[in-house]
Amino acid sequence: KSTNFSSIIVYITMTHRFLLYCTIFLSSSLSHFSVLAFLSHNVCRIRIHPFCLRRHDSISFAEPIPRPGDRPAPQGGDMAYTKVNIDAQLKRYSDIRNVGGVECITDVYARSSHLQPNIYWFTAKVARCTGTVSVEEAVNRQWNLLEEHIVRLRPVELGRSFGSIEFWTAPGDSELACANNELPLRLVKKLPTSVSAKEVGANLEVVTNKGVGFHVERAEDGSIPT
């Protein structure tokens, strides 16, 4: 009887976990949030009778998955990683570039100093009002947006470095020169800034070459390798 009881407990536990994994799989492949909310809410409410827990108190269960409407707002204020903010900064980028040309543009690369210290991933093009905003201020003002974007763009290479990503810069529209090892990269120190969001903009990188992305190799100080 003890053996049969243990088998029942194991079966119930495995069934619960199977249903939970199915819910997670569906959440990554379906776009119907109403179905997801129903599944995640009801599957995660499955519980084993307390009598069973007395003899198997080592069994752990996942917490209920929050519904989309119950999730907290993204952090970062006006530079939080949301579609509204991404679109706003893209429009400001276009407006500044249309008036000031390429002289107002800076190419931004991201690096993880402890995972891949010689690989610099292209992140975005940043625009600024050159009369009032420096390159450092333009990057720092949009730091959260840039960092949130690059860890999503390169989750394997940079995802574990969120919070410690370094940003390096090159002149605007200089991808070809950088790829040909003609230009060094310059580190941007993370500093507070009070620049208005209206004076800067960003055109975030979009990977289209089968996920390969664009990156360059440099020495750890950003100089051209010899």
Side-chain angles (χ1 to χ4, degrees):
K1 292 182 179 180
S2 177
T3 302
N4 292 337
F5 183 80
S6 298
S7 299
I8 293 173
I9 295 302
V10 172
Y11 175 77
I12 294 175
T13 302
M14 293 180 65
T15 302
H16 172 266
R17 291 180 177 176
F18 173 77
L19 292 173
L20 179 60
Y21 294 154
C22 288
T23 302
I24 296 173
F25 173 78
L26 288 172
S27 68
S28 63
S29 59
L30 297 178
S31 60
H32 301 289
F33 290 104
S34 60
V35 175
L36 292 179
F38 174 80
L39 289 174
S40 63
H41 179 66
N42 286 282
V43 170
C44 291
R45 290 178 61 188
I46 295 175
R47 292 293 183 270
I48 295 179
H49 194 277
F51 174 76
C52 301
L53 294 179
R54 295 192 191 102
R55 298 184 58 179
H56 299 270
D57 54 4
S58 61
I59 299 174
S60 60
F61 304 96
E63 292 297 323
I65 301 173
R67 298 184 181 186
D70 297 334
R71 295 170 186 167
Q75 301 297 310
D78 58 3
M79 291 299 162
Y81 196 74
T82 65
K83 186 178 187 303
V84 172
N85 292 337
I86 292 172
D87 291 344
Q89 292 311 111
L90 178 59
K91 183 179 185 305
R92 289 163 182 160
Y93 169 89
S94 300
D95 292 343
I96 294 173
R97 178 158 189 154
N98 289 338
V99 174
V102 71
E103 291 78 12
C104 299
I105 306 302
T106 300
D107 290 350
V108 180
Y109 295 78
R111 182 186 78 156
S112 171
S113 60
H114 61 282
L115 292 180
Q116 293 181 316
N118 299 112
I119 303 298
Y120 298 75
W121 292 95
F122 187 79
T123 305
K125 290 180 178 292
V126 167
R128 62 192 174 92
C129 296
T130 55
T132 56
V133 182
S134 66
V135 171
E136 291 77 10
E137 289 175 322
V139 173
N140 273 282
R141 183 64 177 85
Q142 302 174 99
W143 193 287
N144 186 74
L145 199 67
L146 298 173
E147 188 171 28
E148 291 274 10
H149 182 70
I150 194 59
V151 297
R152 287 169 170 79
L153 198 66
R154 310 304 321 177
V156 175
E157 299 87 354
L158 299 175
R160 290 171 292 170
S161 297
F162 182 77
S164 61
I165 295 290
E166 295 178 353
F167 287 119
W168 298 68
T169 61
D173 295 352
S174 63
E175 295 97 320
L176 182 59
C178 286
N180 291 331
N181 287 337
E182 298 173 4
L183 291 173
L185 300 180
R186 180 168 172 264
L187 175 65
V188 176
K189 294 183 179 180
K190 190 173 184 179
L191 299 170
T193 178
S194 58
V195 170
S196 170
K198 297 179 180 179
E199 296 184 88
V200 296
N203 185 3
L204 303 176
E205 169 73 336
V206 177
V207 175
T208 58
N209 54 344
K210 297 182 179 180
V212 176
F214 175 57
H215 69 274
V216 297
E217 293 189 26
R218 291 290 184 272
E220 291 190 27
D221 63 354
S223 61
I224 299 172
T226 56

